[in-house]
Amino acid sequence: MPDLSINFAGIKSPNPFWLASAPPTNSGYQIMKAFDAGWGGAVWKTLGVPVVNVSSRYGGVNYRDKRLVGFNNIELISDRPLADNLREIEEVKKRFPNHAVIASLMVQTRQEWHDIVRQSQDAGADGFELNFGCPHGMCERGMGSAVGQEPKVLQMIVEWVMEVATKPVIVKLTPNISDITEPAMAARRGGADAISLINTIQSIVGVDLDKFAPYPIVDGKGSNGGYCGPAVKPIALNMVKNCAQHPDIKLPISGIGGIENWRDAVEHILLGASSVQVCTAAMHFGFGIIREMTSGLEQYMVDKGFNTIYDFVGKALPNVLHWEDLNMKYKVTANIHEDKCIGCQLCYTACEDGAHQAIKLNAGTRVPEIIEENCVGCNLCSLVCPVEDCITMDRTDDGTQHLTWKERTQAGTAPTEFNDEKAGGRHHWVPEPAAALGKERHKTLPGKARVLNGETELPATA
Amino acid sequence: MAEYSTPTSEQEFQLNFAQLKPHMNRTEALYESSRCLFCFDAPCIKACPSGIDIPQFIRQINSGNDTGAARTIYDANYFGNACGKVCPTEVLCEGACVYNLQDVKPIEIGRLQSYATTKVIESGKKLFGPGEANGKRVAVIGAGPSGISAACELRALGYEVDVFEAKSQPSGLTVYGVAPYKITNEETLAEMAYLQAQFGYNVHFNSPINSREELAELENKYDAIFLGIGLGKTNDLGLAGEDKINCTGAVEFIAELRQHHHQVAVGRKVIVLGGGNTAMDAASESARLGAENVVLAYRRGKEEMGAYDFEYDLAKGVGVKGLFNVAPVEIVGNGYVAGVKFIRTETKEGKVSEIAGSEFVELCDMVIKATGQAKQTDFLSLIPGLKVDSKGRIVADAHTGQTTNPQYFASGDAWNGGAEVVNAAAEAKLTARGIHAYLSK
């Protein structure tokens, strides 16, 4: 059986799944329950001078029938006395000595940092995560993302922490910045042992149409919050990749953002994370989702022949290139498999209105047809097609040629003038503008794409 | 057998006649609407005789715009709520849904349609109103799906409209002829009240038009007359013993059932004659009223029945037995129905012939004839110059509904010979525009 355990910058954990610092890690009760369910570690909800919270605190983005594809909050760090939290950390560590308990911290002065690091260490925390990411409430007080956005300040605070820390220090980064690698390098310069990302993205998830206020609404008013949930995964993956690929950072990465199942976790790992943190999914579905995550990860490792997590950390990184290094001679063309087509014609509208007018409709059938010479291989039709494998993108170049933009630039064959003949890609046919006018909407025949089991069509009555 | 015990109270009746397409709640509507792919040039629209923009209203439901969804539906079909429940969606919109080709359950378009329209009816929100008065008047005979649809459309075009209805309630078939497990009287009447409040046409109930004098009066008072008279009583079969007590027509039986629910008596053993959708309804309803034995007798084979497969399945599902290739010869009994004498038949090259000497008697204590409805040719003969075809259907222009008497226009069953509510609603809208074109000349 593969070994799921990790040693993350010196923090040991039976599996790479940690609960992120957030409401699910507010108390010893929750963390013990989570460890009991199978979570490998937990980053305790941020300790500091306790806050007072408002209600409500959470906003959701529902997409069609799917609830909370995006989620935000205006909740702050722990509102519980530090002494209570420290006592509970001690108790959790006593019962779960092999699980990772990491104290998330956020204070202001050098003295406060020294004090809270020492106290957490004494309570038995396995490491620290410095919260330089919180994008609401705390940043206005000069903490959280206010620090994450100022590399110099960030580095200085990391240095303060390193003066007293005897356990590994993780710096949690904010995505509310133009280049995530800058604060990551500052963390490295300050001596941090690892980084974690991303924290939440400053957001407004929606506006109440009747109350004219953003969600979540507090007595008729609202505030920007921190965005997270499945919707932020693409942003998180890109930032994890940027840090993992950067030659000067070279720190273990704890990946955070949109992890809801084992597949999401594997994606973070393939792009360089070696532990992953989960919050929204646990808030949405409870701690029980860990069973699916660990079993899925284990099965994936068995299938791929990976013995440890480190066998595939960053395995996708060599395949993430700059655009200018991609092969422009590689060509795929859409292929509609008639036997699978259900005749929805979504591919037709997508290509007609949103792409390159490379699909046509024919009288007598609802199965659209690809106009091959016009297909640029963009993928849009296969992405909108609701049937698995009905539209495939098949390779149509002979595989012998390789040419990149960088090479074209160096060879002087890249367009340089505004009306340069060298542009135009594959020169696909573009209709005259006036041909767009008066296009009838309902022009194909009624009926089905195919007849199932020889059943004949019933007439739509007299 | 008797899967259902005889209902003795309204509550028990409701239990036996539970709605086949119950109302959706918000979550159900949200989940179901989220499945719609928003097909281009959608097959469901084409399969709908009234051409409702189905993907549009489904998306409107999904985005929380239920009022907009109802508007989309009513824009195409004034019986939007009723059609959501009574339409044979299995062979219309839902039958055309592309999911069928993936062996995935098609979108429940009918229930979504009723969901949106029920909400707007309950809210009483004003979506439509009469057009600017043009000073012209139209009389509508019949307050069924075609008559009411025509009235709505004519009001929208600015006409003053008076509807004359022989019965005491509006909506025709929808309240008198549809099986009670498809729609309730409350639902039907709520939609009628909603439409009348929106458009403000007048309905004169218990006002049958059946003499030349009455027609002449309408001809004088109104610029055009719309015939939405539907079909007549159940056809007589011309069998010996047809006049026996407990031998009834399906149309009459269902009308009675819709009005009096559990107070309608049914036999212990019922024979239903016919193979159409009405026969399926009558058989299914008899079983739900507690009949111990219900037999559906049809003179051809099962495959040749006119009823939709799902309607036959519905009847079979409540225990109805099929008796095929039999033709009734005589209703036997002494005053009361005691049985039906049948003769066996065979079909050769599409023609049914009787097998000599194969007579037998099937005992029963009730016979329901679902053998088609008569055309109202006697009434139509009172209209000068009005032609009917060999099957008794009103002859009218396919696009305008204008009959051979230019002042008269027609739609619905009396014109098409008997079809669905949705056909009547769609045709009436077209005919109302035909009237408008005629009167605007």
Side-chain angles (χ1 to χ4, degrees):
Chain A
M1 281 310 255
D3 177 9
L4 294 193
S5 71
I6 56 166
N7 182 340
F8 183 85
I11 302 169
K12 288 180 183 163
S13 170
N15 64 53
F17 296 105
W18 296 352
L19 285 168
S21 170
T25 59
N26 188 45
S27 64
Y29 167 86
Q30 289 165 288
I31 291 174
M32 283 209 209
K33 193 177 172 192
F35 286 175
D36 213 29
W39 291 84
V43 185
W44 210 278
K45 188 168 163 73
T46 307
L47 309 176
V49 176
V51 299
V52 177
N53 274 306
V54 295
S55 72
S56 53
R57 302 172 201 177
Y58 305 139
V61 177
N62 301 335
Y63 185 68
R64 300 202 187 159
D65 66 321
K66 300 292 181 292
R67 301 203 148 255
L68 304 190
V69 296
F71 184 65
N72 92 344
N73 78 90
I74 55 169
E75 185 166 316
L76 306 181
I77 65 169
S78 182
D79 56 5
R80 306 178 62 216
L82 181 63
D84 291 354
N85 281 308
L86 294 173
R87 192 183 65 245
E88 290 175 18
I89 287 173
E90 207 172 328
E91 195 181 336
V92 170
K93 273 314 292 181
K94 236 178 243 166
R95 287 189 193 251
F96 292 92
N98 300 321
H99 284 62
V101 175
I102 295 138
S104 172
L105 306 175
M106 185 197 286
V107 287
Q108 282 180 298
T109 65
R110 183 177 176 213
Q111 190 57 50
E112 282 172 341
W113 279 106
H114 282 183
D115 290 347
I116 205 162
V117 166
R118 285 199 181 100
Q119 285 176 291
S120 309
Q121 235 154 227
D122 292 346
D126 298 302
F128 307 103
E129 185 180 81
L130 314 187
N131 182 344
F132 296 153
C134 185
H136 51 85
M138 305 309 288
C139 47
E140 295 92 326
R141 308 176 194 184
M143 294 183 278
S145 63
V147 176
Q149 289 162 346
E150 287 295 339
K152 280 185 186 156
V153 180
L154 186 152
Q155 182 182 337
M156 180 181 72
I157 294 178
V158 173
E159 284 164 359
W160 294 345
V161 170
M162 300 315 290
E163 287 164 8
V164 295
T166 60
K167 295 286 174 70
V169 173
I170 307 166
V171 171
K172 184 167 179 177
L173 303 176
T174 176
N176 300 296
I177 189 160
S178 53
D179 182 358
I180 193 76
T181 62
E182 286 184 14
M185 281 190 290
R188 163 135 200 139
R189 285 195 299 272
D193 299 288
I195 51 175
S196 60
L197 64 152
I198 60 174
N199 204 309
T200 54
I201 305 164
Q202 206 166 57
S203 66
I204 287 177
V205 289
V207 181
D208 189 298
L209 301 191
D210 300 315
K211 295 175 183 161
F212 311 114
Y215 299 116
I217 298 171
V218 181
D219 194 16
K221 313 285 181 200
S223 184
N224 53 277
Y227 195 40
C228 53
V232 311
K233 188 180 78 176
I235 296 162
L237 290 176
N238 183 52
M239 292 188 165
V240 165
K241 181 272 295 178
N242 285 346
C243 290
Q245 265 186 343
H246 200 284
D248 299 330
I249 297 175
K250 300 277 179 230
L251 288 174
I253 297 170
S254 185
I256 313 169
I259 297 168
E260 191 168 289
N261 58 38
W262 69 271
R263 305 185 70 94
D264 303 320
V266 169
E267 289 177 280
H268 270 267
I269 294 169
L270 289 172
L271 289 174
S274 49
S275 85
V276 291
Q277 298 187 29
V278 178
C279 172
T280 309
M283 291 180 77
H284 195 165
F285 304 109
F287 296 138
I289 57 166
I290 188 62
R291 289 194 303 277
E292 183 277 329
M293 296 174 121
T294 45
S295 68
L297 178 63
E298 201 170 78
Q299 186 57 48
Y300 173 77
M301 291 171 68
V302 169
D303 291 347
K304 297 286 175 195
F306 297 142
N307 294 317
T308 78
I309 300 293
Y310 298 96
D311 289 352
F312 60 106
V313 170
K315 201 171 174 61
L317 288 172
N319 295 326
V320 189
L321 305 179
H322 288 128
W323 184 92
E324 62 177 9
D325 293 320
L326 300 176
N327 180 14
M328 299 178 130
K329 291 290 184 187
Y330 173 78
K331 180 168 162 68
V332 291
T333 306
N335 181 4
I336 299 174
H337 298 267
E338 206 172 315
D339 57 324
K340 296 198 173 76
C341 177
I342 57 173
C344 69
Q345 297 177 352
L346 284 179
C347 57
Y348 167 75
T349 36
C351 189
E352 176 77 3
D353 294 357
H356 298 88
Q357 302 84 47
I359 301 183
K360 65 174 176 180
L361 302 177
N362 292 319
T365 175
R366 290 191 56 89
V367 182
E369 186 189 336
I370 302 288
I371 305 165
E372 266 186 46
E373 57 273 31
N374 233 29
C375 176
V376 301
C378 74
N379 234 14
L380 183 62
C381 55
S382 74
L383 291 176
V384 300
C385 180
V387 183
E388 291 292 318
D389 301 325
C390 176
I391 300 183
T392 53
M393 302 303 296
D394 299 344
R395 186 162 187 177
T396 48
D397 70 314
D398 62 9
T400 59
Q401 290 177 291
H402 190 281
L403 182 66
T404 66
W405 177 258
K406 196 194 266 172
E407 288 160 355
R408 277 191 68 168
T409 310
Q410 284 161 355
T413 60
T416 51
E417 314 271 317
F418 282 119
N419 294 306
D420 206 319
E421 283 296 313
K422 293 195 289 276
R426 297 190 169 88
H427 291 283
H428 75 275
W429 166 77
V430 176
E432 285 302 312
L437 303 176
K439 276 221 152 190
E440 267 187 80
R441 188 165 185 277
H442 303 283
K443 54 183 270 187
T444 55
L445 295 174
K448 296 170 181 173
R450 293 174 286 125
V451 175
L452 273 190
N453 307 326
E455 131 203 297
T456 48
E457 190 104 53
L458 283 155
T461 72
Chain B
M1 74 186 197
E3 183 173 346
Y4 291 95
S5 54
T6 307
T8 57
S9 65
E10 182 60 23
Q11 206 181 0
E12 290 175 5
F13 178 86
Q14 294 303 341
L15 226 56
N16 286 9
F17 287 82
Q19 295 293 294
L20 292 181
K21 294 183 181 173
H23 286 151
M24 283 181 165
N25 60 31
R26 172 83 190 126
T27 305
E28 212 175 347
L30 194 67
Y31 273 54
E32 190 60 17
S33 60
S34 75
R35 297 203 303 125
C36 176
L37 298 170
F38 206 66
C39 295
F40 172 74
D41 200 4
C44 53
I45 303 178
K46 294 193 169 166
C48 175
S50 67
I52 299 173
D53 192 342
I54 294 163
Q56 169 72 8
F57 87 69
I58 293 178
R59 187 150 286 209
Q60 286 172 313
I61 290 172
N62 196 253
S63 64
N65 182 8
D66 297 332
T67 309
R71 188 190 296 275
T72 303
I73 295 160
Y74 279 122
D75 266 339
N77 181 343
Y78 292 115
F79 276 62
N81 188 265
C83 281
K85 300 204 80 178
V86 309
C87 264
T89 54
E90 290 86 339
V91 297
L92 298 178
C93 51
E94 294 174 26
C97 179
V98 298
Y99 273 126
N100 289 302
L101 287 164
Q102 233 182 335
D103 280 340
V104 173
K105 189 172 76 73
I107 306 286
E108 290 197 54
I109 298 168
R111 290 180 70 205
L112 285 168
Q113 185 169 316
S114 298
Y115 168 80
T117 47
T118 298
K119 280 195 110 172
V120 85
I121 290 170
E122 281 173 357
S123 76
K125 266 184 197 158
K126 189 135 178 102
L127 293 187
F128 303 96
E132 200 183 322
N134 60 20
K136 298 200 170 97
R137 313 177 71 190
V138 179
V140 171
I141 305 179
S146 79
I148 293 296
S149 297
C152 292
E153 186 76 0
L154 287 165
R155 285 294 291 149
L157 292 166
Y159 293 87
E160 201 180 325
V161 178
D162 285 302
V163 184
F164 298 89
E165 169 58 45
K167 293 204 162 90
S168 59
Q169 290 174 317
S171 90
L173 190 78
T174 320
V175 82
Y176 291 106
V178 174
Y181 40 80
K182 292 183 179 165
I183 194 167
T184 68
N185 294 2
E186 288 76 6
E187 287 163 337
T188 303
L189 297 175
E191 185 167 50
M192 292 303 102
Y194 179 72
L195 291 176
Q196 198 174 2
Q198 301 270 310
F199 291 101
Y201 46 81
N202 309 304
V203 190
H204 308 278
F205 293 111
N206 306 308
S207 307
I209 305 289
N210 43 26
S211 69
R212 178 61 218 150
E213 289 71 28
E214 287 163 321
L215 283 169
E217 201 187 328
L218 296 184
E219 287 164 12
N220 287 333
K221 278 175 71 178
Y222 297 90
D223 297 286
I225 299 162
F226 178 92
L227 297 170
I229 57 172
L231 298 173
K233 294 187 166 109
T234 298
N235 273 329
D236 275 339
L237 288 171
L239 297 176
E242 212 173 329
D243 56 352
K244 292 201 178 355
I245 297 170
N246 259 13
C247 176
T248 181
V251 176
E252 290 73 16
F253 172 71
I254 295 170
E256 182 75 8
L257 182 64
R258 279 298 296 270
Q259 298 311 306
H260 302 293
H261 289 186
H262 60 280
Q263 288 149 16
V264 176
V266 73
R268 277 193 178 182
K269 181 169 178 187
V270 180
I271 293 180
V272 178
L273 303 175
N277 293 318
T278 305
M280 303 304 138
D281 276 347
S284 190
E285 286 158 14
S286 301
R288 288 165 199 262
L289 277 176
E292 286 173 13
N293 224 319
V294 183
V295 172
L296 195 68
Y298 182 54
R299 62 198 202 96
R300 290 168 182 260
K302 185 170 70 176
E303 263 53 35
E304 292 169 273
M305 286 200 302
Y308 298 120
D309 287 347
F310 68 89
E311 294 279 20
Y312 180 51
D313 290 345
L314 204 62
K316 275 197 301 189
V318 293
V320 172
K321 298 257 163 49
L323 180 60
F324 297 101
N325 295 306
V326 293
V329 182
E330 187 191 341
I331 313 288
V332 297
N334 184 11
Y336 285 84
V337 167
V340 177
K341 183 193 266 184
F342 287 105
I343 185 163
R344 297 200 187 275
T345 65
E346 55 186 352
T347 312
K348 274 183 187 162
E349 290 169 359
K351 279 192 176 169
V352 183
S353 59
E354 299 177 351
I355 301 169
S358 67
E359 287 93 341
F360 66 99
V361 172
E362 186 82 9
L363 295 179
C364 69
D365 53 8
M366 185 174 192
V367 173
I368 300 176
K369 297 177 290 181
T371 44
Q373 286 172 263
K375 306 296 190 299
Q376 309 206 46
T377 42
D378 285 352
F379 168 73
L380 293 174
S381 70
L382 300 175
I383 301 169
L386 186 102
K387 268 194 202 157
V388 295
D389 67 9
S390 59
K391 289 178 175 171
R393 298 176 297 198
I394 299 172
V395 173
D397 183 278
H399 301 290
T400 64
Q402 191 166 34
T403 70
T404 48
N405 177 331
Q407 203 184 352
Y408 284 85
F409 291 75
S411 285
D413 285 359
W415 176 27
N416 63 31
E420 308 292 349
V421 171
V422 63
N423 297 88
E427 289 163 14
K429 215 170 150 77
L430 271 183
T431 297
R433 288 177 192 163
I435 292 173
H436 183 53
Y438 173 66
L439 294 181
S440 306
K441 269 182 192 162

